[in-house]
Amino acid sequence: MALILIRADNKEKLLNGIADVERHAKLKILGIPRVIPSESADNIVQEIIKQKLRSKSKKAVIVRVEEDTTKSIVNIRKIHPPAHLMVISEEYDAFKDLEAKFKELKPFRGYYSPKNPNSPKRKADSKNNSKKN
């Protein structure tokens, strides 16, 4: 399992970034992405890259994926999402902190996995399609 930090300017870019993780990086998202304060996300990134950031984020989420850190990094490097994605590996202190706080963070509303047949959006769509038939 790996954690992916996604930083962006707005919710739309976050949604596209999360979708790109599933669609193009072919990583399986576990559960619901969680909202993290953008200041915290910026601090985590700065701590990891050991440089000042060129731009601050306005929105940020943490996503858990099923695949290990190495596979996640390799697959993320192949895509070009509209948001800044960073795989946080177990070797960083931030990983332990984020993992411990993950369930306490507020769920990110608006994203439903197209691959998960039990997601609320997919259930609503299937009910609407069955009524039409």
Side-chain angles (χ1 to χ4, degrees), residues 32-77:
I32 298 169
R34 301 292 178 145
V35 176
I36 183 170
S38 59
E39 302 83 28
S40 297
D42 292 344
N43 290 337
I44 291 167
V45 172
Q46 260 184 237
E47 184 181 303
I48 291 172
I49 65 172
K50 297 180 181 11
Q51 292 180 358
K52 286 203 170 224
L53 297 176
R54 283 187 253 161
S55 62
K56 303 283 185 188
S57 62
K58 293 183 180 144
K59 304 271 184 186
V61 295
I62 291 287
V63 176
R64 279 184 177 159
V65 293
E66 187 174 89
E67 291 75 15
D68 66 10
T69 304
T70 305
K71 182 175 182 177
S72 298
I73 291 169
V74 169
N75 289 9
I76 290 293
R77 291 184 75 184

Side-chain angles (χ1 to χ4, degrees), residues 66-94:
E66 187 174 89
E67 291 75 15
D68 66 10
T69 304
T70 305
K71 182 175 182 177
S72 298
I73 291 169
V74 169
N75 289 9
I76 290 293
R77 291 184 75 184
K78 294 177 183 177
I79 66 172
H80 303 287
H84 178 232
L85 277 64
M86 177 174 273
V87 178
I88 302 180
S89 69
E90 297 85 2
E91 67 188 60
Y92 297 110
D93 293 334

